[in-house]
Amino acid sequence: MMRASSQEWDGQDRSSSSAASRSSSSNHVSLEPPVTQSVRHRSLNSPIDSIHETKEEHAPESNSVHIRESVIGALTETNHAFHRGGGPPGGWDNGPALPAHRRRMVFKRNALWWLLHFIQVLVLSIIVILLLVAVGVPVSDNGVPQPGDYTKMEFDWKTDPRSYLKPMDSNFTDYNVLLDAHMHTTYSDGVLSPKQAIDYAIANGYNAVIVTDHQTVAGSIAAKKYAEKHHSDQITVITGMEYTCCRIHMNLIGINKSVAVTPPFPSDDELRDVINKVHDMGGLVIVNHIPWSNATMLPWNDARLPNNPTREQLLDWGVDGFEVVNQNTFDLRSYQFVQENSDRLVALTGSDMHYPGSSYAWTTINAENRTAEAILDEIRNRRTSFLLDASGTRPLQLAPYNKNYFKYAPWGLIGDYFYGYADKYTGQYSFQGTFCQNEVLDTHGTMMGWFVLWLIVSILVLEILYWFFRWLLLLVAHAIHGCITRRRAR
């Protein structure tokens, strides 16, 4: 009772003092600016909730007052926007302490809000990722142009291999033909047009070529027409095609009509029929790049061209020769086999040019003249040797960048990134719309799991940073408000 009476008396005393102060102020001019009741009794719910109330403290009398009012208005709007823009239920209330059961309810409600918010962000992230996959993977497969614009390439140099190389057969010193017996154009999977292919061959020291596009003689006919019209004194073109299947690749040379291609896996009899048909057309059959054909491919652990016929089988079927140098690979075993059967087989070399690069080998022939017929006669009579430069010729040239590549490459790179979560093995293309091996898809589940984990961690980090900087903004706003208030109170 005594404590209550003391408190009551103390309250009465403060009321009396307040009344006296008010009475005194009515008889004296106040030196302080008028302050509203709402300012004297601000709410403590938020450090900035009551900023708008300070607008009543002073009447705007100068430009500085207008500036302060603008700052206060902006901070007030920032505070309201903060509360409107989200945050846990109940905002950021720093008011009186709640009872224990109310605190538990608020905690559960806030925890549920945070959980739902996180799920929402996670779902949106997954949707974005799926959209990237849906667009990036198809573009990566089919839609990205080549980085280089090969249509603009020109070859303005001249290499002379005979100036620094000697024939493989040291007795074969007289020759007037330097032949590339295997090259491709845009009529199949090459990047150079027939015109560019001829210009490339001349620049690299060839004066005769056999253009052998996959499954068609059309590219060689186009190259022959261009060479005869523009470079008849520099180079001779012999027509042909590369017969391509899943068992063997063979150059069919000296023919002017395409040979129909048998199924991807022809039988021995079907291959023998092709060889006989070419001979009936007056052409020759040269077996290409046996080391490449028999190279082991993973994950099948089988040859690139399964069931590739042996050299002995091919000799028995009537082929005319073997490609003993392909690009920069010297097939010693095939070269030895030709030497062992020199009365029936001829050795040729080929750049197998799909993309312009170094040249490594030149078939040497001493023909009566540089006509296609004279060169083919020497090949039929198996009178050839070759020059070999294992280092390759210089100069080399890079194709200028294709502007369309930069346009679509970002999507293609996104597709390539997601392809990294699985290894897709298709095998060797048959050039007949199929592949020579069964497709194998090896997905990396562990990598996918880590991707999901890092995605969750990234979302949590971004959320923490977002709310931290949001809190920091409020802290700065509160500090500015405090400075303005103190200056106005002076």
Side-chain angles (χ1 to χ4, degrees):
M1 289 297 292
M2 290 295 293
R3 184 180 296 115
S5 298
S6 175
Q7 291 174 352
E8 182 179 357
W9 175 255
D10 185 55
Q12 292 174 0
D13 183 62
R14 285 198 298 269
S15 298
S16 300
S17 299
S18 176
S21 175
R22 287 195 297 270
S23 176
S24 173
S25 64
S26 63
N27 298 321
H28 297 85
V29 178
S30 175
L31 298 178
E32 295 182 356
V35 180
T36 63
Q37 185 69 18
S38 59
V39 174
R40 293 184 179 277
H41 300 283
R42 291 193 182 102
S43 169
L44 298 178
N45 287 345
S46 172
I48 310 177
D49 278 346
S50 59
I51 294 178
H52 63 283
E53 298 172 356
T54 62
K55 292 181 179 180
E56 304 176 21
E57 295 185 8
H58 293 282
E61 296 178 354
S62 65
N63 290 335
S64 60
V65 173
H66 285 295
I67 294 173
R68 288 197 298 270
E69 293 291 343
S70 299
V71 172
I72 293 171
L75 294 175
T76 304
E77 181 60 28
T78 300
N79 184 50
H80 292 334
F82 176 80
H83 285 289
R84 289 195 304 269
W92 303 88
D93 193 359
N94 297 322
L98 297 174
H101 71 283
R102 290 283 294 171
R103 288 200 301 271
R104 287 193 295 270
M105 290 178 60
V106 171
F107 175 79
K108 291 179 179 179
R109 185 173 58 181
N110 289 349
L112 179 61
W113 184 90
W114 282 110
L115 178 62
L116 293 176
H117 175 72
F118 177 78
I119 292 174
Q120 180 186 29
V121 174
L122 183 61
V123 169
L124 289 175
S125 300
I126 292 174
I127 291 174
V128 171
I129 291 170
L130 292 177
L131 289 174
L132 292 176
V133 172
V135 177
V137 169
V139 171
S140 176
D141 285 339
N142 308 304
V144 180
Q146 293 198 62
D149 186 359
Y150 293 94
T151 62
K152 297 180 179 179
M153 293 191 72
E154 297 180 353
F155 310 96
D156 55 0
W157 62 84
K158 180 67 175 180
T159 299
D160 183 12
R162 70 176 72 209
S163 66
Y164 67 100
L165 296 173
K166 295 181 179 180
M168 190 70 167
D169 182 354
S170 58
N171 296 319
F172 201 100
T173 56
D174 294 328
Y175 55 90
N176 58 359
V177 174
L178 292 171
L179 171 70
D180 183 356
H182 185 181
M183 65 189 311
H184 297 269
T185 73
T186 51
Y187 276 75
S188 59
D189 58 344
V191 298
L192 298 184
S193 67
K195 171 189 178 301
Q196 291 175 301
I198 297 304
D199 293 342
Y200 165 83
I202 294 173
N204 284 283
Y206 299 102
N207 60 9
V209 294
I210 306 176
V211 179
T212 53
D213 280 309
H214 296 281
Q215 324 296 47
T216 180
V217 298
S220 64
I221 292 174
K224 183 179 180 67
K225 290 180 179 178
Y226 169 76
E228 289 176 346
K229 183 176 180 179
H230 297 281
H231 300 288
S232 59
D233 60 336
Q234 293 180 283
I235 194 165
T236 301
V237 176
I238 299 172
T239 55
M241 61 172 277
E242 184 171 13
Y243 174 91
T244 311
C245 67
C246 285
R247 289 193 64 192
I248 193 172
H249 289 192
M250 299 184 296
N251 275 348
L252 314 181
I253 64 177
I255 60 174
N256 296 308
K257 183 180 178 180
S258 299
V259 174
V261 181
T262 51
F265 290 93
S267 65
D268 292 354
D269 289 338
E270 288 173 319
L271 291 176
R272 188 182 290 110
D273 289 342
V274 170
I275 295 170
N276 292 334
K277 184 175 182 178
V278 173
H279 288 160
D280 292 341
M281 297 170 66
L284 300 172
V285 178
I286 307 298
V287 180
N288 292 340
H289 47 59
I290 288 182
W292 179 90
S293 301
N294 281 324
T296 302
M297 289 192 74
L298 295 175
W300 303 277
N301 205 30
D302 196 3
R304 177 179 277 110
L305 300 183
N307 196 22
N308 186 245
T310 66
R311 295 175 179 85
E312 290 74 16
Q313 284 179 301
L314 293 166
L315 178 64
D316 182 60
W317 295 348
V319 300
D320 299 288
F322 287 84
E323 185 179 61
V324 297
V325 179
N326 178 271
Q327 298 181 39
N328 61 347
T329 300
F330 175 38
D331 182 2
L332 177 61
R333 181 67 191 95
S334 291
Y335 176 74
Q336 293 171 337
F337 188 75
V338 169
Q339 296 300 307
E340 294 164 3
N341 299 277
S342 58
D343 59 332
R344 299 176 61 184
L345 297 173
V346 65
L348 296 180
T349 66
S351 66
D352 200 0
M353 192 272 294
H354 292 79
Y355 294 81
S358 293
S359 292
Y360 298 92
W362 298 256
T363 299
T364 56
I365 296 173
N366 190 23
E368 184 178 347
N369 53 63
R370 277 200 303 106
T371 63
E373 293 74 15
I375 294 172
L376 285 171
D377 283 343
E378 291 300 310
I379 295 174
R380 287 190 183 94
N381 290 314
R382 300 172 296 280
R383 293 192 289 262
T384 66
S385 186
F386 59 91
L387 308 177
L388 179 63
D389 180 0
S391 300
T393 58
R394 296 186 183 93
L396 294 177
Q397 186 180 25
L398 291 174
Y401 272 110
N402 184 349
K403 293 181 180 179
N404 286 330
Y405 169 76
F406 293 109
K407 183 187 300 183
Y408 298 103
W411 284 111
L413 293 174
I414 289 173
D416 292 342
Y417 168 77
F418 287 108
Y419 264 131
Y421 291 90
D423 292 327
K424 184 179 180 180
Y425 303 95
T426 56
Q428 175 60 38
Y429 184 55
S430 67
F431 288 89
Q432 299 181 50
T434 60
F435 290 88
C436 301
Q437 287 81 18
N438 294 323
E439 182 179 297
V440 175
L441 183 64
D442 182 15
T443 57
H444 305 306
T446 303
M447 181 183 284
M448 294 179 183
W450 277 105
F451 173 80
V452 173
L453 177 61
W454 286 119
L455 176 64
I456 293 173
V457 170
S458 300
I459 291 173
L460 289 174
V461 170
L462 290 175
E463 283 290 312
I464 292 171
L465 291 175
Y466 171 74
W467 291 108
F468 169 75
F469 284 110
R470 199 167 179 176
W471 168 82
L472 191 62
L473 177 63
L474 278 178
L475 194 63
V476 172
H478 180 58
I480 294 173
H481 166 62
C483 291
I484 293 174
T485 303
R486 285 192 296 272
R487 289 188 62 182
R488 298 180 65 181
R490 291 173 184 171

